[in-house]
Amino acid sequence: MSDTQLQGIPVWVYQKEIGTKKSLGMPKIIQGYQGDPYEITVPKIDGYSMDSVEGELSGHFSDTTQVITVYYRPTDVAQIEPMTGQFLHITAETQTYDQPDLSTAPRPTPLTADTDWPISVRLATTKGLFWHQIADSRWVLYDRRTMTIEKKARQSGINTPLYDWEAVAFSGAGQLVATAPDWPIKVYSKPYGGEIKTLPAELTVILTQVLHDPSGKDWYEIAGQGWIEGSNLKLTN
């Protein structure tokens, strides 16, 4: 009779921001033999504190896939939650931001009066500020003097797209470049769309399309993967 142990299916550990489900790092893979115990130590992330855990932080390796997701919230955030069925109705020109942070520069294109924008995320800070992320990923600081929150759009057309220009075919390759050491590259469903995965830095990728945003930002489509920002890419040919 053989006493050889069978290799267990790896345990996958993901780190995400609560509410937005944004990835905060590369997934970790824990390996071991079937029946052996495992115990996950929650990693610390600068600027974040742990919020909750989905899955079991301790258990035993088995012949089935086990997934653990650790959710974090920014240390200056009191609450963050996804929103559906609510709109920002803009009554006066309003600045937007790439991040819910007034210390950053506003986006070049503000929201104009008498427009409606679907809300995807609401974020409350520990300082009592309320931010709303609209459907094209921009952030808006709530100000009742320039906007209202509605359960349906007042206008017949909803202003979901930030852009109306088209991507063009692009044939080339590039190497993914991280903005910080060991930081994964975010891949989106479309320019200014939702995050769908991450890829490791220094990976060589094949590019099929490019979109030039008039504000100066370029987006590239990776064959069969999704879209990345041009700042995360070094063209190789």
Side-chain angles (χ1 to χ4, degrees):
M1 179 177 177
S2 173
D3 58 358
T4 301
Q5 284 186 284
L6 296 176
Q7 187 73 32
I9 301 296
V11 176
W12 289 77
V13 183
Y14 293 88
Q15 303 155 62
K16 296 184 178 182
E17 185 178 84
I18 189 74
T20 65
K21 304 297 176 67
K22 178 178 70 175
S23 174
L24 297 177
M26 295 293 291
K28 300 183 184 300
I29 302 174
I30 312 299
Q31 296 181 318
Y33 292 105
Q34 289 187 28
D36 284 355
Y38 72 82
E39 185 167 352
I40 307 299
T41 300
V42 174
K44 294 182 178 180
I45 300 178
D46 289 343
Y48 286 86
S49 56
M50 192 189 80
D51 181 274
S52 57
V53 177
E54 188 176 276
E56 300 296 332
L57 289 175
S58 61
H60 293 80
F61 292 99
S62 68
D63 59 355
T64 60
T65 300
Q66 300 181 74
V67 176
I68 301 163
T69 304
V70 183
Y71 290 104
Y72 297 80
R73 69 173 68 250
T75 52
D76 61 349
V77 170
Q79 184 182 35
I80 183 168
E81 59 182 336
M83 304 287 286
T84 57
Q86 295 196 44
F87 300 82
L88 279 181
H89 176 71
I90 305 301
T91 57
E93 185 174 286
T94 299
Q95 298 289 351
T96 64
Y97 299 81
D98 286 328
Q99 301 293 332
D101 184 355
L102 286 175
S103 67
T104 61
R107 294 279 299 164
T109 307
L111 305 183
T112 56
D114 294 322
T115 57
D116 298 292
W117 301 85
I119 302 171
S120 58
V121 176
R122 185 183 80 102
L123 182 151
T125 73
T126 54
K127 296 181 179 179
L129 299 178
F130 289 87
W131 289 85
H132 293 85
Q133 188 177 42
I134 55 179
D136 62 16
S137 297
R138 290 181 289 174
W139 287 91
V140 179
L141 178 63
Y142 180 74
D143 185 340
R144 63 182 181 180
R145 297 170 298 179
T146 61
M147 65 193 71
T148 59
I149 297 177
E150 309 285 344
K151 290 187 177 180
K152 63 180 181 179
R154 292 190 183 184
Q155 307 299 320
S156 58
I158 300 173
N159 304 281
T160 50
L162 171 62
Y163 57 88
D164 57 4
W165 52 94
E166 294 184 358
V168 296
F170 183 89
S171 179
Q175 186 178 60
L176 299 184
V177 178
T179 55
D182 301 321
W183 203 248
I185 309 302
K186 296 177 183 178
V187 182
Y188 300 88
S189 60
K190 61 182 179 180
Y192 299 108
E195 181 185 336
I196 56 175
K197 65 171 71 175
T198 60
L199 293 173
E202 300 185 2
L203 180 69
T204 298
V205 294
I206 302 300
L207 307 169
T208 56
Q209 292 191 90
V210 62
L211 185 146
H212 300 293
D213 180 334
S215 69
K217 179 180 288 188
D218 291 336
W219 291 84
Y220 290 87
E221 184 184 42
I222 301 175
Q225 300 283 347
W227 291 82
I228 61 169
E229 296 184 54
S231 58
N232 290 129
L233 182 69
K234 178 182 179 182
L235 295 175
T236 55
N237 64 8

